[in-house]
């Protein structure tokens, strides 16, 4: 081989090396994407299987997660809740709710509250809400997780038992 052929062969080898490295990187990215997709599906299945409503928000109070139980409790489809501001998704809980949210975000303190709400066609509902800060790996609060439980049936049973206890000592 002459110097010219050797240079062409080196250039070809360099191009082949770049192509091989790109193929390896692409394979790694595909494997990572498949793993991330699988983890995301597991998380979605876990959120869907939880009996309590789970709502998460980002730092701007936009809803990022709204599981099936939250949909059943609040009577709202997840597609209409995700991306919306929290006040547009949750009914008006009480006057102090915004203060509770602020306390959770600013002071990293969990809060729990119960409220009775008039849900229009669905009637009066008793809800239990637990607010917890969502933190990143640096322990910085990135949003709020809200766990919602419907206590309506439990409260109705308690009221019936109280009536029975009153008349049947």
């Amino acid at each position: 081989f002459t110097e010219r052929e050797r240079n062409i062969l080196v250039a070809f080898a360099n191009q082949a090396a770049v192509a091989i490295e790109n193929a390896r990187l692409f394979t790694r990215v595909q494997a990572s994407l498949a793993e991330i997709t699988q983890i995301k599906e597991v998380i979605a299945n876990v959120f869907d299987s939880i009996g309590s409503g789970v709502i998460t928000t980002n730092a701007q109070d936009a809803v990022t997660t709204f599981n099936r139980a939250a949909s059943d409790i609040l009577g709202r489809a997840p597609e209409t809740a995700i991306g919306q501001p929290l006040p547009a998704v949750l009914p008006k809980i009480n006057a102090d709710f915004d203060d509770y949210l602020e306390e959770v975000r600013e002071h990293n303190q969990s809060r729990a509250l119960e409220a009775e709400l008039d849900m229009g066609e669905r009637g009066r509902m008793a809800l239990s809400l637990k607010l917890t800060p969502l933190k990143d790996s640096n322990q910085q609060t990135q949003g709020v997780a809200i766990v919602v439980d419907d206590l309506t049936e439990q409260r109705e049973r308690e009221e019936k038992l109280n009536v029975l206890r009153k008349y049947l000592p």
Side-chain angles (χ1 to χ4, degrees), residues 128-146:
S128 167
L129 293 101
K130 295 172 191 79
L131 291 77
T132 307
L134 284 177
K135 298 180 182 182
D136 62 11
S137 60
N138 297 324
Q139 297 301 310
Q140 298 296 316
T141 301
Q142 299 297 314
V144 177
I146 303 170

Side-chain angles (χ1 to χ4, degrees), residues 18 76 79 108 110 156:
V18 168
R76 182 180 188 125
E79 300 82 34
N108 292 324
S110 296
E156 288 172 356

Side-chain angles (χ1 to χ4, degrees), residues 96-152:
D96 297 331
F97 187 71
D98 291 335
D99 295 335
Y100 291 147
L101 277 174
E102 188 68 24
E103 191 173 311
V104 169
R105 276 193 304 267
E106 298 298 321
H107 303 294
N108 292 324
Q109 293 180 339
S110 296
R111 293 293 305 219
L113 65 130
E114 292 184 5
E116 286 200 20
L117 307 170
D118 185 12
M119 299 293 283
E121 296 174 5
R122 299 181 70 193
R124 199 108 180 108
M125 291 182 72
L127 299 179
S128 167
L129 293 101
K130 295 172 191 79
L131 291 77
T132 307
L134 284 177
K135 298 180 182 182
D136 62 11
S137 60
N138 297 324
Q139 297 301 310
Q140 298 296 316
T141 301
Q142 299 297 314
V144 177
I146 303 170
V147 177
V148 181
D149 288 305
D150 185 358
L151 303 177
T152 306

